[in-house]
Amino acid sequence: MAKLYHRPVDFLEGEASLRALDAGDALPLAGGRISFRSVEVMDRSGGREIVSAANWAGSSGEACKRITSARASLAGLPTDHALVMAVLNVTPDSFSDGGEVDQGEDLMVRARKMAAEGADIWDVGGESTRPGSDPVSIEEELTRILPAVTALSHEGTLPISIDSRKPEIFAEAIGAGAQIINDVSALSWSPGSLDAAANAAVPVVLMHALGDPKTMQDDPRYDNVLLDVYDWLEERIEVCAAAGIDRSRLVVDPGIGFGKNLVHNLALLRGLSLFHGLGCPILLGASRKSFIHKLRPSSEPKGRLGGSLASVLAGRAQGVQIFRVHDVHETVEALGVAEAIANAE
Ligand code: 7PM
């Protein structure tokens, strides 16, 4: 029988959600505050059918459990509502920050500001994974991130995530106080990554990328981008399980902009709720990415803020749990207003 894919749709929140749950007309999404009334059941041959959640629940077994069950907490943070991961690049060529060098004092000023604005996690990255970029040596990456992780850890305000693909960096960063691994290669870049992550016993973000940063934007192709990314992440979760990393430690991320053209990015953003079927919290990183510019060209340096916020709200409406963003204040404000509207009397 052909493999079936189950995407929860028709979301409810607040009062309406409680009533539908009581009446048995809706199911909870990932144990959170959003519920869904229908499921889009798909296969790869183009078959798709929308069925009511009530009917689907009885016949879908494992898929239903995966989609509805509460997620584990993330470095002590509850995952039943939206969390904001603040981007703290310590690379000298971070395009999104306009090429400024983010080191020392300046880094701590920005980190404190982001925490005060309501960020939940600091995400420290020392290797630019910009499309077309060359890899950075382990020594160079360590020189960039270790002082930052050490200083942030002494500050002690937020859990620190380390944005890296290298097992040597995971180990050193965790030794210096990092509590989450954020790997844009989903632990596939180095043969030692799986063991290093298993031993570190911290949560791991598995992000999908097609190819490596050097070549990934050269004509990426998929059979069905949404289902291909889903299957790839499912496979990485199995590889992790075999290496001793339980699903409850994992977060999944479709990797917006990593080996995807505009059509691919939009299909992923539209279909995000499919990834709840993997049974892990979902992370979305769309902040300031070039697909926004492709849709709405702007000459303003901060011109991608509106598009970034629209992406966050699209993710929020589908129950995405973690948003990796540059603009913390604006993101927290947008999420807060959406939350208030959803829960209004
Ligand atoms: C150049 C190009 C510099 C792209 C920086 C980037 C993600 C991530 C990045 C993401 C997760 C950026 C990206 N993007 N980690 N790290 N998900 N989990 O825009 O989408 O910051 S780097």
Side-chain angles (χ1 to χ4, degrees), residues 19 35 38 51 84 92 101 105 137 216 233 250 260 263 266 278 306 316 331:
R19 266 186 277 118
S35 66
S38 313
V51 296
V84 172
V101 182
E105 282 293 288
S137 76
M216 65 188 178
L233 287 169
L250 299 174
K260 284 111 187 165
V263 169
L266 293 174
L278 295 168
R316 181 197 173 280
T331 300

Side-chain angles (χ1 to χ4, degrees), residues 38-229:
S38 313
V39 178
E40 182 183 34
V41 183
M42 298 170 269
D43 64 25
R44 281 185 174 272
S45 65
R48 57 174 68 204
E49 194 188 350
I50 305 257
V51 296
S52 79
N55 289 337
W56 172 81
S59 60
S60 59
E62 192 65 15
C64 181
K65 253 183 262 162
R66 285 268 155 78
I67 292 173
T68 58
S69 63
R71 306 302 184 230
S73 62
L74 180 73
L77 301 166
T79 50
D80 62 347
H81 66 275
L83 296 170
V84 172
M85 173 185 268
V87 178
L88 276 175
N89 282 321
V90 289
T91 56
D93 64 343
S94 167
F95 85 106
S96 299
D97 300 321
E100 66 199 66
V101 182
D102 306 322
Q103 303 285 6
E105 282 293 288
D106 181 41
L107 173 86
M108 292 312 290
V109 169
R110 288 184 314 114
R112 288 191 191 109
K113 180 159 178 277
M114 288 168 144
E117 289 171 341
D120 299 289
I121 300 163
W122 283 316
D123 185 46
V124 179
E127 180 194 31
S128 170
T129 41
R130 175 195 306 236
S133 63
D134 286 309
V136 171
S137 76
I138 291 165
E139 294 69 31
E140 172 65 20
E141 195 175 337
L142 269 183
T143 311
R144 290 179 187 176
I145 64 104
L146 263 193
V149 172
T150 305
L152 292 167
S153 175
H154 281 139
E155 187 84 0
T157 318
L158 301 180
I160 299 159
S161 134
I162 176 72
D163 185 346
S164 178
R165 301 181 290 174
K166 304 191 181 85
E168 298 85 351
I169 305 290
F170 305 158
E172 293 276 350
I174 289 160
Q179 292 168 65
I180 300 168
I181 294 169
N182 174 25
D183 185 348
V184 299
S185 81
L187 304 178
S188 72
W189 193 77
S190 163
S193 292
L194 287 161
D195 276 351
N199 292 331
V202 298
V204 182
V205 180
L206 301 177
M207 195 198 80
H208 173 272
L210 184 72
D212 59 277
K214 190 88 188 150
T215 55
M216 65 188 178
Q217 288 307 110
D218 304 345
D219 192 25
R221 282 167 192 267
Y222 298 87
D223 288 335
N224 176 320
V225 66
L226 187 62
L227 304 185
D228 290 3
V229 171

